[in-house]
Amino acid sequence: MAKKSDKSAKTAFATLFPDATPVKHDKYIAPRTVKKKTAKFESAQREVNRQQASFEFSDGFIACFSDEQPVSFMKDERIKPTIAAIKKGLIMPDIELDLHGLTKAQAKLEISALIDHAHNHHIECVKIVHGVSGGVLKQYTPHWLVQHPLVLGFHQAPRHHGGNGALLVLLEKPL
């Protein structure tokens, strides 16, 4: 039911603009999503966080991952919708760590420093680029991430984030 002031406004508008015809609002156009730019985990941040990194990964722990499926891990079934959103590319990572050119020992330190930095800065999702070559870093990175207590889950990155050469990691938020 239209208000009296709405009717008077419509008649006033019609008298001012007699050629105007009402526009029919029958189509919904979804708002564009703004893509945020992923920040690089730079060397200055790394140095400070490497010294403060509180977790050390074991090379002896080997998790079970399927060779046919994309690499994925969930610590708890309650985060399944969030991992699904990561898988679809709906959750954007805030920080990216590129492991290219690092040794296994350096990569472990960098990942630990990244997780500490992200946790301290209330960052929920990070991207770790390990490469597609199937080398040591691609092989060990998921096994290391499974061990860390702040990692809730991860999934192979969508194609626009590096595909099988990267992982999007979901981290626990600080209290």
Side-chain angles (χ1 to χ4, degrees):
M1 189 158 99
K3 295 180 184 176
K4 189 174 187 178
S5 61
D6 288 343
K7 288 182 182 179
S8 63
K10 286 180 182 177
T11 56
F13 183 84
T15 57
L16 288 172
F17 303 98
D19 302 346
T21 57
V23 176
K24 193 174 187 180
H25 296 283
D26 60 345
K27 293 184 181 167
Y28 172 75
I29 299 173
R32 291 184 177 187
T33 56
V34 177
K35 291 185 179 182
K36 63 182 180 180
K37 191 170 182 178
T38 302
K40 302 275 187 201
F41 190 52
E42 298 296 339
S43 58
Q45 294 170 310
R46 289 179 182 179
E47 187 57 40
V48 171
N49 288 319
R50 251 188 258 126
Q51 295 167 2
Q52 298 172 350
S54 59
F55 191 82
E56 202 168 308
F57 298 105
S58 167
D59 289 332
F61 179 81
I62 303 295
C64 265
F65 295 107
S66 171
D67 291 334
E68 292 84 37
Q69 299 291 325
V71 177
S72 186
F73 165 74
M74 284 185 296
K75 191 176 276 188
D76 191 343
E77 285 292 319
R78 291 177 288 177
I79 63 163
K80 195 171 190 170
T82 311
I83 294 294
I86 286 175
K87 181 179 178 180
K88 293 175 186 173
L90 300 176
I91 296 178
M92 299 286 290
D94 292 310
I95 296 180
E96 173 184 321
L97 172 64
D98 191 348
L99 300 177
H100 284 98
L102 300 180
T103 65
K104 193 162 80 167
Q106 291 170 330
K108 286 196 291 188
L109 282 173
E110 296 297 331
I111 292 171
S112 182
L114 171 74
I115 293 171
D116 281 354
H117 173 81
H119 186 69
N120 292 337
H121 289 84
H122 303 272
I123 295 172
E124 179 183 24
C125 184
V126 298
K127 175 168 66 169
I128 299 176
V129 180
H130 49 64
V132 295
S133 68
V136 173
L137 297 180
K138 181 175 179 155
Q139 178 185 354
Y140 278 95
T141 300
H143 302 298
W144 295 331
L145 290 172
V146 168
Q147 299 172 42
H148 203 289
L150 295 177
V151 173
L152 295 176
F154 56 84
H155 195 279
Q156 177 180 308
R159 188 179 192 110
H160 62 278
H161 279 296
N164 64 358
L167 295 172
L168 294 183
V169 183
L170 182 67
L171 301 172
E172 187 176 292
K173 293 180 188 175
L175 299 175

